[in-house]
Structures are given as C-alpha cells and as structure tokens.
Amino acid sequence: MPFNLNRYLLGLSMAIDCVENELLGATSNHGRRVALVAMRLARAMGMNDAQVFDCAALAILHDNGLAQENLTRPDQQRDRLLQVEDMPAHCEIGETNVSRFPFQGDTFETILLHHENWDGSGFFGVEGEAIPWMAQVIALADYTDLKLNLGEARPGKREQVLKFLQARRGLHFSPALVELFTEISAPTSFWLDLRDPFLDVALNRTMPELAIEADWQEILEISRVFSRIIDSKSRFTHSHSSGLEEKTARMAGYLGADPTTILQLRIAAALHDVGKLAMPNAILDKPGKLDDAERARMMEHTYFTRKCLEGIPGLEQITEWASNHHEKLNGAGYPLRLPGEELDIWSRLLTVLDIYQALTEERPYRQSLTHRQTMEILYRLVAEGEVDPGLVKAVDRAFA
Ligand SMILES: [Fe+2]
Ligand SMILES: [Fe+2]
Ligand SMILES: [Fe+2]
Ligand SMILES: [Fe+2]
C-alpha cells in the first residue's frame, strides 16, 4: 500500500525535537528548523527530490542518539548538558539507530559525521570534502540554530547569523556552503518560514512528496527505529516498547487476531509511548513516587502520542490503539476520559498489557514484580472497574 513517509516523519519529529530541547536547551522545533534549512541548502546545491528527502529525514533524526540513557542525566544545568553534545557516542549511537530507516539513496555516515569540521578538528578528524555533503549541510544548520535560534524574531537576525558563519568559514564550515547560505537567506520569507507559527506549512511545502510502497511489516520496521529511541530514553524502560510489542503479538494471536491486525497492533505497541520523549528524564528516572505535579505532567504523554500519530494517513486505527493505553473502562483514564463503550478489544488489550509490562520491569522506586504479583494488581483493577475482566483472565492463562 502507498505510505506517506513525509507525514510519518514530520509527525514523529515533534517527539524527537523534545529530546534535544531537554538535553541541550535547544529551543523547541530545533530539528524541524534544521530540516528546513538543510532542504533549502540541498535544493540550492541542485540535489534531486530523493536526496532532498533523505537530507530532511536525517536532519530531523540528527541527534536521535542523544536519547540514549547513558548520555542523559536528570540534570537541568545547561552547561553540563551542552557537554553531552561533545560526546562522539551520540553520533555512533544515532548512526546505528537509523540504519533500518528506508532512505532513498546513500546516507552512510551522515549522522556519524554530523559534528565534523571542515578543517578536520571535529570528533573523528574527517576533513573537507571527505565529510559527506549531507553531514556538512546538517552540521551548519544544526550548530547555527543551536547557538542562535534561527526561528527567533529579532531585528538584524540575518546579519547576526551571517557574521557568525563568516567567522567560521573555512574552519567549521566549507566556504562554498557559507556562500550558499548567504544567498538562500536573502529573501525575507526564508526567515519568516523558520518561525514557529509558519514552520509546519513551510516544511510541508518544501519536503518532496514521498509515498513509498510499504506493507505493514515494513511500517513496523520503520516504527522500530523510533521505539528503540523511545526505549533508550530511560534505563528503566530499555525494553518497554519492544516487550509490549512482543506480548501484544502473543496475546493477539492467542485471541485469534488475523496476521494483518497483529502487525498493526505491533506498530501501535512500538509507538504507544512515543509521547514519553516529551517527558523530562527528571520525572522518568525519579527515584521515588511522583508528586501530584509530576504525575499530572506524566499523564500528558499519551496526548503527545496522539499528536505525533494522528496526522499520518493510514495510521488512524493504530493512532487510537496507541493513544488509548491509559484510558479506563470506568471513564477514569487519561487523557480523553473515554467511556468503556468507546474502547475496542485491542485498545483494552494494550491497556492491560502495558500495565503487565510495566509491573514486570524494574522501576527506580521498586523491583520488578513476578507474574503472580502482577496478576494480583490486575485483578484488583478489574474489581475497581478499570480494565477488562475477560482479557485479564486470558493474560493470566497465557503468561502463567
Ligand atoms: Fe549532535
Ligand atoms: Fe541539534
Ligand atoms: Fe504510557
Ligand atoms: Fe507504556
């Protein structure tokens, strides 16, 4: 079936951007601005649609390796956090994470080399034209936006940016690329497009339409690129999405779902917590129970999951399953407080299995629970009218 990879990428870019926002203090929409500038540079270099698309995808994903737990700490101090970017590890992890993404052409080592400098003074000492062109383009957009926020409405913004680039011409960046940026940034519209209210429309207009032929198995593979990023955000959830995906497939098969539904449910499970990328690690990794404010913040994550997925054509049903995993049969769930009648069997199953998966994982404030201990809690939730009794019994039988 035709699958719109653009809408998929742009939807998930919202969550990816939150990671860099938290860790590096990049202003929101950073990755999306990097993508817009990178695409404009690629176009001006005469690249074709497929190359422009790949460049945009990599720009959105450029710092995906930052989510890796061993790089992140619940520490909000900006100085310390900026050092995270000084670690070559996020380039290596990021390169590996995206290796399964269906790029159109050769994108090898773009993410690995996105911190190289023209004069060879970067992480890996690669210099000049030996740095892949996409890595050069992304590096220029990334570094400039991180330091100066290209979306900021401020008189003299272009002059400030050009001065910054001139000072790094031939050192950080290739002289030709700095010239090209100077050219493409001349129209007023270039700067207006980068501002928050206009960014989405500009991205949609600039990104080449890319409807790939993909079956559900392939969409699942692409979704696992993101579930790996989600799981790596906290050491306590390192196998949460993948574990839920496995259990969901097992239970759906046990309950007689057809193969297509099982694949769609796997995708929903892989992406169900994508909204957690928007949650601070200070909350995710807190070594104790959350206070009211933190719990309220945490409850926003399924709203973000819905925001990321709901604009992707073909994923309507998957969006519901993924975003409803904290809704309850008695209408006391979040974020929509849907009544039980509006929760189909697969939404209900994901809710039960998400609880099962979470309880059998270690948390900062408790050990992992056994199957029996987990089932006791699930039966209590049945008694409180929160989760489906038949499904809880089925899970007990299947996983005992
Ligand atoms: Fe980076
Ligand atoms: Fe960045
Ligand atoms: Fe969740
Ligand atoms: Fe979850």
Side-chain angles (χ1 to χ4, degrees):
M1 62 177 204
F3 183 64
N4 190 323
L5 206 49
N6 302 41
R7 295 291 344 149
Y8 184 90
L9 250 182
L10 290 174
L12 293 176
S13 70
M14 197 190 309
I16 302 278
D17 273 1
C18 292
V19 176
E20 202 159 352
N21 182 226
E22 184 195 0
L23 291 175
L24 304 181
T27 42
S28 36
N29 283 325
H30 164 72
R32 285 137 81 89
R33 279 195 300 276
V34 173
L36 185 58
V37 173
M39 282 193 287
R40 296 260 153 94
L41 285 168
R43 277 273 179 246
M45 292 166 85
M47 299 300 167
N48 64 31
D49 276 1
Q51 291 166 314
V52 172
F53 177 85
D54 282 350
C55 194
L58 286 159
I60 283 168
L61 292 163
H62 74 276
D63 269 336
N64 79 80
L66 284 174
Q68 191 80 0
E69 174 273 331
N70 61 12
L71 295 175
T72 66
R73 288 291 173 267
D75 179 342
Q76 298 293 328
Q77 285 169 15
R78 200 185 151 140
D79 284 356
R80 204 187 147 274
L81 290 174
L82 276 171
Q83 291 170 14
V84 170
E85 268 261 283
D86 294 337
M87 297 164 75
H90 87 278
C91 302
E92 292 162 338
I93 295 163
E95 177 80 23
T96 312
N97 278 348
V98 303
S99 59
R100 306 291 286 272
F101 192 86
F103 294 110
Q104 302 302 296
D106 180 17
T107 58
F108 184 60
E109 293 193 335
T110 296
I111 295 214
L112 182 72
L113 300 177
H114 82 276
H115 281 272
E116 296 312 292
N117 293 328
W118 183 253
D119 65 2
S121 63
F123 286 161
F124 303 106
V126 182
E127 81 185 271
E129 293 301 351
I131 309 167
W133 71 268
M134 278 189 215
Q136 292 188 42
V137 162
I138 290 169
L140 184 142
D142 178 31
Y143 194 63
T144 313
D145 187 67
L146 188 64
K147 294 292 181 195
L148 299 179
N149 181 10
L150 298 174
E152 181 193 36
R154 172 182 190 261
K157 190 73 200 177
R158 178 166 184 249
E159 291 65 36
Q160 181 200 17
V161 172
L162 293 187
K163 196 172 153 213
F164 176 88
L165 289 174
Q166 280 304 329
R168 287 159 182 80
R169 186 177 190 271
L171 304 167
H172 272 74
F173 311 120
S174 105
L177 204 54
V178 173
E179 290 325 312
L180 204 58
F181 183 92
T182 309
E183 265 170 50
I184 64 164
S185 67
T188 313
S189 62
F190 175 88
W191 298 94
L192 285 166
D193 281 347
L194 285 165
R195 294 201 197 156
D196 283 347
F198 311 125
L199 185 59
D200 250 330
V201 174
L203 275 170
N204 273 313
R205 189 169 11 97
T206 313
M207 204 155 168
E209 268 307 318
L210 205 85
I212 58 166
E213 254 329 291
D215 58 25
W216 291 111
Q217 180 63 43
E218 284 162 314
I219 298 171
L220 174 61
E221 297 288 343
I222 304 169
S223 301
R224 284 185 180 144
V225 171
F226 292 91
S227 72
R228 266 192 296 275
I229 299 170
I230 301 161
D231 283 357
S232 67
K233 186 164 158 80
S234 166
R235 115 182 134 79
F236 299 102
T237 57
H238 65 94
S239 58
H240 179 72
S241 307
S242 56
L244 182 64
E245 193 204 305
E246 270 324 303
K247 289 187 176 64
T248 302
R250 253 174 82 192
M251 276 311 295
Y254 182 86
L255 295 166
D258 62 82
T260 301
T261 305
I262 294 178
L263 281 172
Q264 292 170 334
L265 284 165
R266 275 184 181 270
I267 296 167
L271 297 174
H272 80 289
D273 269 342
V274 66
K276 278 204 180 158
L277 289 175
M279 301 296 114
N281 274 78
I283 296 182
L284 294 178
D285 297 335
K286 185 180 174 183
K289 290 270 181 202
L290 302 182
D291 66 26
D292 287 349
E294 290 162 341
R295 201 169 314 112
R297 179 76 202 275
M298 193 64 175
M299 283 163 70
E300 294 175 358
H301 79 275
T302 40
Y303 182 86
F304 281 92
T305 295
R306 185 177 287 277
K307 285 293 136 205
C308 288
L309 302 181
E310 70 184 351
I312 307 170
L315 259 55
E316 292 80 7
Q317 182 59 67
I318 287 170
T319 302
E320 293 306 316
W321 292 333
S323 314
N324 290 343
H325 71 274
H326 290 293
E327 299 293 345
K328 298 284 152 63
L329 292 189
N330 59 7
Y334 61 84
L336 294 172
R337 289 186 177 244
L338 289 177
E341 309 89 81
E342 289 185 35
L343 298 166
D344 73 354
I345 177 176
W346 304 126
S347 283
R348 295 172 185 215
L349 179 67
L350 275 177
T351 303
V352 171
L353 291 177
D354 182 56
I355 297 169
Y356 189 97
Q357 179 66 32
L359 290 173
T360 52
E361 289 165 11
E362 190 193 331
R363 283 295 176 268
Y365 48 89
R366 62 156 171 79
Q367 295 290 303
S368 58
L369 304 189
T370 63
H371 172 78
R372 253 337 342 130
Q373 293 168 316
T374 303
M375 290 316 302
E376 269 170 42
I377 293 176
L378 278 169
Y379 283 120
R380 208 184 311 141
L381 294 176
V382 168
E384 287 164 12
E386 294 201 347
V387 294
D388 191 286
L391 289 176
V392 169
K393 277 200 205 97
V395 166
D396 196 0
R397 271 197 306 274
F399 292 166

